[in-house]
Amino acid sequence: KRAQSTGFPLITLDDTPGWLMEQTRVRFAMTLETDAAKALAQSIGVDLGILSRELEKLSGVAGEGDRITLEHVRLAGAVLPKQDRWRWFDLVGSRQFEEAITGLPVLLGQGESGVGLVVGLSSHLLRIGVVVEKGPGALEEVLPPHQKWLSRQIGGQAEGWTPKTIRVAILRLLRVDRLLKASSLSDEHHLEEWLLTLMGPEGIKA
């Protein structure tokens, strides 16, 4: 017989909170709150072995309760991010650009890269675009299983966008991506400039 190898898809950071919530439910019959899952993912990354051990620790910290909260993650000793990266994407999606500008240097100071944020922003805007054009149900259908948790906030954010404004924002992000790779200016400069353009008349015109 010919040997066959089985490939497993690599987990991404966007998959990680959903994976953590699923594992908590299946292995411990407990609920891991979304904020706790996001903080754990952002603190540790995508190493499933370490994440699995952290879940075991958290189930003990939570004791007899049936929920693991952000406070339990804090008590377990995780270094919590000052700026939640997904909350930051939600700020942009909700057009709260001034708050996003305030949080940008905090995110970058936590180790996020400009290119990584451009990738995350592009994905977030594309998800909003799906809801704008086809409705919330369509987004649920196209998201991978471990990313369906991302759809919960998108519906409300989509109300502030049109297909045109989504397209303009993404095209401007492509320019930011090129500048990040070629310019001597800082990542913060280019991303802040992008946010400021969205605050202007051209950025909000339908």
Side-chain angles (χ1 to χ4, degrees), residues 154-205:
I154 298 293
Q157 295 172 28
E159 297 174 3
W161 298 84
T162 66
K164 179 180 178 181
T165 54
I166 290 286
R167 183 170 60 254
V168 168
I170 291 176
L171 287 174
R172 289 175 177 171
L173 269 180
L174 291 175
R175 175 180 177 273
V176 171
D177 184 62
R178 291 193 297 270
L179 289 172
L180 287 170
K181 296 170 182 175
S183 171
S184 61
L185 296 174
S186 69
D187 291 6
E188 182 180 350
H189 170 87
H190 293 302
L191 284 163
E192 181 175 330
E193 181 182 53
W194 177 77
L195 289 165
L196 288 170
T197 63
L198 295 181
M199 293 171 65
E202 290 301 315
I204 60 175
K205 189 180 295 182

Short mmCIF file of all heavy atoms in Angstrom, two decimals, residues 154-205:
data_model
loop_
_atom_site.label_atom_id
_atom_site.label_comp_id
_atom_site.label_asym_id
_atom_site.label_seq_id
_atom_site.Cartn_x
_atom_site.Cartn_y
_atom_site.Cartn_z
N ILE A 154 -19.82 42.09 14.16
CA ILE A 154 -19.74 42.65 12.82
C ILE A 154 -21.06 43.27 12.36
O ILE A 154 -21.07 44.29 11.67
CB ILE A 154 -19.29 41.57 11.80
CG1 ILE A 154 -17.90 41.06 12.15
CG2 ILE A 154 -19.32 42.11 10.38
CD1 ILE A 154 -16.80 42.06 11.99
N GLY A 155 -22.19 42.66 12.74
CA GLY A 155 -23.48 43.14 12.26
C GLY A 155 -23.70 44.62 12.54
O GLY A 155 -24.07 45.39 11.65
N GLY A 156 -23.44 45.03 13.77
CA GLY A 156 -23.61 46.44 14.13
C GLY A 156 -22.62 47.34 13.44
O GLY A 156 -22.93 48.48 13.07
N GLN A 157 -21.41 46.85 13.22
CA GLN A 157 -20.38 47.65 12.56
C GLN A 157 -20.71 47.89 11.09
O GLN A 157 -20.40 48.94 10.54
CB GLN A 157 -19.02 46.96 12.68
CG GLN A 157 -18.51 46.86 14.11
CD GLN A 157 -17.26 46.01 14.23
OE1 GLN A 157 -16.48 45.91 13.29
NE2 GLN A 157 -17.07 45.38 15.38
N ALA A 158 -21.35 46.91 10.47
CA ALA A 158 -21.63 47.01 9.04
C ALA A 158 -22.55 48.18 8.71
O ALA A 158 -22.53 48.69 7.58
CB ALA A 158 -22.25 45.70 8.55
N GLU A 159 -23.34 48.61 9.69
CA GLU A 159 -24.29 49.70 9.44
C GLU A 159 -23.58 51.01 9.08
O GLU A 159 -24.18 51.89 8.46
CB GLU A 159 -25.17 49.90 10.67
CG GLU A 159 -26.05 48.69 10.98
CD GLU A 159 -26.81 48.86 12.28
OE1 GLU A 159 -26.70 49.95 12.90
OE2 GLU A 159 -27.51 47.91 12.69
N GLY A 160 -22.32 51.16 9.46
CA GLY A 160 -21.60 52.39 9.19
C GLY A 160 -20.82 52.39 7.88
O GLY A 160 -20.09 53.35 7.61
N TRP A 161 -20.97 51.33 7.08
CA TRP A 161 -20.17 51.20 5.87
C TRP A 161 -21.05 50.94 4.65
O TRP A 161 -22.19 50.47 4.77
CB TRP A 161 -19.18 50.05 6.01
CG TRP A 161 -18.17 50.23 7.10
CD1 TRP A 161 -18.34 49.93 8.43
CD2 TRP A 161 -16.85 50.76 6.99
NE1 TRP A 161 -17.21 50.23 9.13
CE2 TRP A 161 -16.28 50.75 8.28
CE3 TRP A 161 -16.10 51.24 5.91
CZ2 TRP A 161 -14.98 51.19 8.52
CZ3 TRP A 161 -14.81 51.68 6.15
CH2 TRP A 161 -14.26 51.66 7.44
N THR A 162 -20.50 51.23 3.49
CA THR A 162 -21.12 50.87 2.21
C THR A 162 -20.08 50.09 1.41
O THR A 162 -18.89 50.10 1.75
CB THR A 162 -21.52 52.13 1.42
OG1 THR A 162 -20.32 52.83 1.03
CG2 THR A 162 -22.41 53.05 2.24
N PRO A 163 -20.50 49.42 0.33
CA PRO A 163 -19.50 48.75 -0.51
C PRO A 163 -18.39 49.69 -0.97
O PRO A 163 -17.22 49.31 -1.02
CB PRO A 163 -20.33 48.23 -1.68
CG PRO A 163 -21.68 47.99 -1.09
CD PRO A 163 -21.88 49.12 -0.11
N LYS A 164 -18.75 50.95 -1.27
CA LYS A 164 -17.74 51.90 -1.75
C LYS A 164 -16.74 52.25 -0.66
O LYS A 164 -15.52 52.27 -0.90
CB LYS A 164 -18.42 53.17 -2.25
CG LYS A 164 -17.42 54.22 -2.73
CD LYS A 164 -18.11 55.48 -3.22
CE LYS A 164 -17.09 56.53 -3.65
NZ LYS A 164 -17.74 57.78 -4.11
N THR A 165 -17.21 52.54 0.55
CA THR A 165 -16.28 52.93 1.61
C THR A 165 -15.39 51.76 2.03
O THR A 165 -14.23 51.96 2.39
CB THR A 165 -17.02 53.50 2.83
OG1 THR A 165 -18.01 52.56 3.29
CG2 THR A 165 -17.69 54.82 2.49
N ILE A 166 -15.93 50.55 1.98
CA ILE A 166 -15.10 49.36 2.25
C ILE A 166 -13.99 49.26 1.21
O ILE A 166 -12.82 49.05 1.53
CB ILE A 166 -15.96 48.08 2.24
CG1 ILE A 166 -16.89 48.03 3.45
CG2 ILE A 166 -15.07 46.84 2.19
CD1 ILE A 166 -16.22 47.70 4.75
N ARG A 167 -14.36 49.42 -0.05
CA ARG A 167 -13.39 49.30 -1.14
C ARG A 167 -12.30 50.37 -1.02
O ARG A 167 -11.11 50.07 -1.16
CB ARG A 167 -14.11 49.42 -2.49
CG ARG A 167 -13.19 49.24 -3.69
CD ARG A 167 -13.99 49.11 -4.97
NE ARG A 167 -14.81 50.29 -5.23
CZ ARG A 167 -16.12 50.36 -5.09
NH1 ARG A 167 -16.80 49.30 -4.67
NH2 ARG A 167 -16.79 51.47 -5.36
N VAL A 168 -12.70 51.60 -0.73
CA VAL A 168 -11.72 52.69 -0.60
C VAL A 168 -10.77 52.42 0.56
O VAL A 168 -9.55 52.60 0.44
CB VAL A 168 -12.45 54.04 -0.41
CG1 VAL A 168 -11.47 55.12 0.02
CG2 VAL A 168 -13.17 54.45 -1.69
N ALA A 169 -11.31 51.98 1.69
CA ALA A 169 -10.48 51.72 2.87
C ALA A 169 -9.46 50.62 2.59
O ALA A 169 -8.29 50.72 2.99
CB ALA A 169 -11.36 51.35 4.05
N ILE A 170 -9.88 49.56 1.89
CA ILE A 170 -8.96 48.46 1.61
C ILE A 170 -7.90 48.88 0.59
O ILE A 170 -6.72 48.53 0.73
CB ILE A 170 -9.75 47.23 1.11
CG1 ILE A 170 -10.58 46.65 2.28
CG2 ILE A 170 -8.81 46.16 0.56
CD1 ILE A 170 -11.47 45.49 1.90
N LEU A 171 -8.29 49.65 -0.41
CA LEU A 171 -7.30 50.14 -1.38
C LEU A 171 -6.25 51.02 -0.70
O LEU A 171 -5.06 50.95 -1.01
CB LEU A 171 -8.00 50.92 -2.50
CG LEU A 171 -8.80 50.08 -3.50
CD1 LEU A 171 -9.57 50.98 -4.46
CD2 LEU A 171 -7.86 49.15 -4.28
N ARG A 172 -6.69 51.83 0.25
CA ARG A 172 -5.74 52.66 0.99
C ARG A 172 -4.84 51.81 1.88
O ARG A 172 -3.68 52.15 2.11
CB ARG A 172 -6.49 53.70 1.81
CG ARG A 172 -7.13 54.79 0.96
CD ARG A 172 -7.98 55.73 1.79
NE ARG A 172 -8.53 56.80 0.98
CZ ARG A 172 -9.44 57.67 1.42
NH1 ARG A 172 -9.89 57.58 2.67
NH2 ARG A 172 -9.90 58.62 0.62
N LEU A 173 -5.38 50.70 2.38
CA LEU A 173 -4.56 49.78 3.18
C LEU A 173 -3.47 49.14 2.32
O LEU A 173 -2.36 48.90 2.81
CB LEU A 173 -5.42 48.69 3.80
CG LEU A 173 -6.00 48.94 5.19
CD1 LEU A 173 -6.81 47.74 5.64
CD2 LEU A 173 -4.90 49.24 6.21
N LEU A 174 -3.78 48.85 1.07
CA LEU A 174 -2.76 48.29 0.17
C LEU A 174 -1.60 49.27 0.01
O LEU A 174 -0.43 48.87 -0.03
CB LEU A 174 -3.38 47.97 -1.19
CG LEU A 174 -4.38 46.81 -1.22
CD1 LEU A 174 -5.01 46.68 -2.60
CD2 LEU A 174 -3.70 45.51 -0.83
N ARG A 175 -1.93 50.55 -0.07
CA ARG A 175 -0.88 51.58 -0.15
C ARG A 175 -0.06 51.59 1.14
O ARG A 175 1.18 51.69 1.10
CB ARG A 175 -1.51 52.95 -0.38
CG ARG A 175 -0.51 54.10 -0.36
CD ARG A 175 -1.19 55.44 -0.62
NE ARG A 175 -0.24 56.54 -0.52
CZ ARG A 175 0.08 57.15 0.62
NH1 ARG A 175 -0.49 56.77 1.77
NH2 ARG A 175 0.95 58.14 0.62
N VAL A 176 -0.74 51.48 2.29
CA VAL A 176 -0.04 51.44 3.57
C VAL A 176 0.92 50.25 3.61
O VAL A 176 2.06 50.37 4.06
CB VAL A 176 -1.04 51.36 4.74
CG1 VAL A 176 -0.32 51.10 6.06
CG2 VAL A 176 -1.85 52.65 4.84
N ASP A 177 0.46 49.11 3.12
CA ASP A 177 1.30 47.91 3.11
C ASP A 177 2.58 48.15 2.31
O ASP A 177 3.68 47.76 2.74
CB ASP A 177 0.51 46.74 2.52
CG ASP A 177 1.28 45.43 2.58
OD1 ASP A 177 1.60 44.99 3.69
OD2 ASP A 177 1.57 44.87 1.51
N ARG A 178 2.45 48.79 1.15
CA ARG A 178 3.63 49.08 0.34
C ARG A 178 4.58 50.03 1.06
O ARG A 178 5.80 49.85 1.05
CB ARG A 178 3.21 49.66 -1.01
CG ARG A 178 2.51 48.67 -1.94
CD ARG A 178 2.41 49.21 -3.35
NE ARG A 178 1.59 50.41 -3.42
CZ ARG A 178 0.28 50.41 -3.63
NH1 ARG A 178 -0.36 49.26 -3.78
NH2 ARG A 178 -0.40 51.55 -3.70
N LEU A 179 4.01 51.05 1.70
CA LEU A 179 4.83 52.03 2.41
C LEU A 179 5.54 51.40 3.61
O LEU A 179 6.70 51.73 3.90
CB LEU A 179 3.97 53.20 2.87
CG LEU A 179 3.46 54.13 1.76
CD1 LEU A 179 2.45 55.13 2.33
CD2 LEU A 179 4.62 54.87 1.10
N LEU A 180 4.86 50.51 4.31
CA LEU A 180 5.47 49.86 5.47
C LEU A 180 6.72 49.08 5.07
O LEU A 180 7.67 48.97 5.85
CB LEU A 180 4.46 48.91 6.13
CG LEU A 180 3.32 49.56 6.92
CD1 LEU A 180 2.28 48.52 7.31
CD2 LEU A 180 3.84 50.27 8.16
N LYS A 181 6.71 48.54 3.87
CA LYS A 181 7.82 47.72 3.41
C LYS A 181 8.92 48.53 2.74
O LYS A 181 10.02 48.02 2.52
CB LYS A 181 7.30 46.65 2.45
CG LYS A 181 6.35 45.66 3.13
CD LYS A 181 5.66 44.76 2.13
CE LYS A 181 4.68 43.82 2.82
NZ LYS A 181 3.91 42.99 1.86
N ALA A 182 8.63 49.80 2.41
CA ALA A 182 9.60 50.58 1.64
C ALA A 182 10.02 51.88 2.30
O ALA A 182 11.09 52.41 2.01
CB ALA A 182 9.04 50.88 0.25
N SER A 183 9.19 52.41 3.19
CA SER A 183 9.44 53.74 3.75
C SER A 183 10.28 53.65 5.02
O SER A 183 10.26 52.65 5.74
CB SER A 183 8.10 54.43 4.06
OG SER A 183 8.31 55.62 4.79
N SER A 184 10.99 54.73 5.30
CA SER A 184 11.78 54.80 6.54
C SER A 184 10.94 55.31 7.72
O SER A 184 11.40 55.31 8.86
CB SER A 184 12.99 55.72 6.34
OG SER A 184 12.56 57.04 6.01
N LEU A 185 9.72 55.77 7.43
CA LEU A 185 8.84 56.26 8.50
C LEU A 185 8.29 55.09 9.30
O LEU A 185 8.27 53.95 8.86
CB LEU A 185 7.71 57.09 7.90
CG LEU A 185 8.15 58.37 7.17
CD1 LEU A 185 6.96 59.03 6.49
CD2 LEU A 185 8.82 59.34 8.15
N SER A 186 7.80 55.39 10.50
CA SER A 186 7.38 54.33 11.43
C SER A 186 6.06 53.70 11.01
O SER A 186 5.25 54.29 10.29
CB SER A 186 7.24 54.91 12.84
OG SER A 186 6.13 55.80 12.89
N ASP A 187 5.83 52.49 11.52
CA ASP A 187 4.55 51.80 11.30
C ASP A 187 3.41 52.65 11.85
O ASP A 187 2.34 52.76 11.22
CB ASP A 187 4.55 50.44 11.99
CG ASP A 187 5.51 49.45 11.35
OD1 ASP A 187 6.25 49.85 10.43
OD2 ASP A 187 5.52 48.28 11.78
N GLU A 188 3.63 53.23 13.01
CA GLU A 188 2.58 54.06 13.63
C GLU A 188 2.21 55.22 12.72
O GLU A 188 1.02 55.55 12.57
CB GLU A 188 3.05 54.58 14.98
CG GLU A 188 2.00 55.41 15.70
CD GLU A 188 2.48 55.91 17.06
OE1 GLU A 188 3.54 55.47 17.53
OE2 GLU A 188 1.77 56.76 17.64
N HIS A 189 3.20 55.85 12.11
CA HIS A 189 2.93 56.99 11.23
C HIS A 189 1.99 56.60 10.09
O HIS A 189 0.98 57.28 9.83
CB HIS A 189 4.24 57.53 10.65
CG HIS A 189 4.06 58.55 9.57
ND1 HIS A 189 3.90 59.89 9.83
CD2 HIS A 189 3.96 58.41 8.21
CE1 HIS A 189 3.73 60.54 8.69
NE2 HIS A 189 3.77 59.67 7.69
N HIS A 190 2.29 55.51 9.41
CA HIS A 190 1.51 55.13 8.23
C HIS A 190 0.10 54.68 8.62
O HIS A 190 -0.87 55.02 7.92
CB HIS A 190 2.23 54.02 7.47
CG HIS A 190 3.51 54.46 6.84
ND1 HIS A 190 3.57 55.49 5.93
CD2 HIS A 190 4.79 54.02 7.00
CE1 HIS A 190 4.83 55.67 5.54
NE2 HIS A 190 5.58 54.80 6.18
N LEU A 191 -0.03 53.94 9.71
CA LEU A 191 -1.36 53.48 10.12
C LEU A 191 -2.20 54.63 10.67
O LEU A 191 -3.41 54.70 10.42
CB LEU A 191 -1.23 52.36 11.15
CG LEU A 191 -0.83 51.01 10.55
CD1 LEU A 191 -0.32 50.07 11.63
CD2 LEU A 191 -2.00 50.38 9.81
N GLU A 192 -1.57 55.53 11.39
CA GLU A 192 -2.31 56.70 11.89
C GLU A 192 -2.78 57.56 10.72
O GLU A 192 -3.91 58.06 10.72
CB GLU A 192 -1.45 57.52 12.84
CG GLU A 192 -2.18 58.73 13.41
CD GLU A 192 -1.37 59.49 14.44
OE1 GLU A 192 -0.54 58.86 15.14
OE2 GLU A 192 -1.57 60.72 14.55
N GLU A 193 -1.93 57.72 9.72
CA GLU A 193 -2.32 58.50 8.54
C GLU A 193 -3.53 57.86 7.86
O GLU A 193 -4.47 58.55 7.44
CB GLU A 193 -1.15 58.57 7.57
CG GLU A 193 -1.44 59.39 6.31
CD GLU A 193 -0.27 59.39 5.35
OE1 GLU A 193 0.22 58.29 5.00
OE2 GLU A 193 0.15 60.48 4.95
N TRP A 194 -3.53 56.52 7.77
CA TRP A 194 -4.66 55.81 7.17
C TRP A 194 -5.94 56.07 7.95
O TRP A 194 -7.00 56.35 7.38
CB TRP A 194 -4.35 54.32 7.11
CG TRP A 194 -5.47 53.47 6.58
CD1 TRP A 194 -5.84 53.32 5.28
CD2 TRP A 194 -6.36 52.66 7.34
NE1 TRP A 194 -6.91 52.46 5.18
CE2 TRP A 194 -7.25 52.05 6.43
CE3 TRP A 194 -6.50 52.39 8.70
CZ2 TRP A 194 -8.26 51.18 6.85
CZ3 TRP A 194 -7.51 51.53 9.12
CH2 TRP A 194 -8.37 50.93 8.20
N LEU A 195 -5.86 55.99 9.27
CA LEU A 195 -7.03 56.24 10.11
C LEU A 195 -7.53 57.67 9.95
O LEU A 195 -8.75 57.92 9.89
CB LEU A 195 -6.70 55.95 11.58
CG LEU A 195 -6.50 54.48 11.94
CD1 LEU A 195 -5.83 54.34 13.30
CD2 LEU A 195 -7.83 53.73 11.93
N LEU A 196 -6.62 58.61 9.85
CA LEU A 196 -7.01 60.02 9.70
C LEU A 196 -7.72 60.25 8.37
O LEU A 196 -8.66 61.05 8.29
CB LEU A 196 -5.78 60.92 9.81
CG LEU A 196 -5.19 61.07 11.21
CD1 LEU A 196 -3.84 61.78 11.16
CD2 LEU A 196 -6.15 61.82 12.14
N THR A 197 -7.29 59.55 7.31
CA THR A 197 -7.97 59.73 6.02
C THR A 197 -9.41 59.21 6.09
O THR A 197 -10.30 59.75 5.43
CB THR A 197 -7.23 58.99 4.88
OG1 THR A 197 -7.23 57.59 5.12
CG2 THR A 197 -5.81 59.50 4.74
N LEU A 198 -9.64 58.18 6.90
CA LEU A 198 -11.00 57.65 7.04
C LEU A 198 -11.90 58.60 7.83
O LEU A 198 -13.12 58.55 7.72
CB LEU A 198 -10.97 56.28 7.73
CG LEU A 198 -10.27 55.16 6.97
CD1 LEU A 198 -10.35 53.87 7.76
CD2 LEU A 198 -10.87 54.97 5.58
N MET A 199 -11.29 59.47 8.63
CA MET A 199 -12.06 60.45 9.40
C MET A 199 -12.47 61.64 8.55
O MET A 199 -13.38 62.38 8.90
CB MET A 199 -11.24 60.94 10.60
CG MET A 199 -10.97 59.88 11.64
SD MET A 199 -9.78 60.41 12.90
CE MET A 199 -10.68 61.75 13.69
N GLY A 200 -11.79 61.85 7.41
CA GLY A 200 -12.08 63.00 6.57
C GLY A 200 -13.31 62.78 5.71
O GLY A 200 -13.89 61.69 5.67
N PRO A 201 -13.73 63.80 4.98
CA PRO A 201 -14.94 63.73 4.14
C PRO A 201 -14.91 62.58 3.14
O PRO A 201 -15.91 61.90 2.93
CB PRO A 201 -14.97 65.09 3.42
CG PRO A 201 -14.19 65.99 4.31
CD PRO A 201 -13.11 65.14 4.93
N GLU A 202 -13.75 62.32 2.53
CA GLU A 202 -13.67 61.25 1.54
C GLU A 202 -13.80 59.89 2.19
O GLU A 202 -14.22 58.93 1.56
CB GLU A 202 -12.35 61.34 0.77
CG GLU A 202 -12.28 62.54 -0.16
CD GLU A 202 -13.39 62.53 -1.19
OE1 GLU A 202 -13.64 61.46 -1.78
OE2 GLU A 202 -14.01 63.58 -1.41
N GLY A 203 -13.42 59.81 3.46
CA GLY A 203 -13.46 58.52 4.13
C GLY A 203 -14.84 58.11 4.56
O GLY A 203 -15.11 56.94 4.77
N ILE A 204 -15.77 59.08 4.69
CA ILE A 204 -17.10 58.73 5.18
C ILE A 204 -18.16 58.88 4.11
O ILE A 204 -19.32 58.60 4.32
CB ILE A 204 -17.49 59.61 6.40
CG1 ILE A 204 -17.50 61.09 6.02
CG2 ILE A 204 -16.55 59.37 7.55
CD1 ILE A 204 -18.00 62.00 7.13
N LYS A 205 -17.75 59.32 2.93
CA LYS A 205 -18.73 59.52 1.87
C LYS A 205 -19.22 58.17 1.34
O LYS A 205 -18.43 57.29 1.05
CB LYS A 205 -18.10 60.32 0.73
CG LYS A 205 -19.10 60.76 -0.33
CD LYS A 205 -18.39 61.54 -1.42
CE LYS A 205 -17.81 62.83 -0.90
NZ LYS A 205 -17.17 63.62 -1.97
#
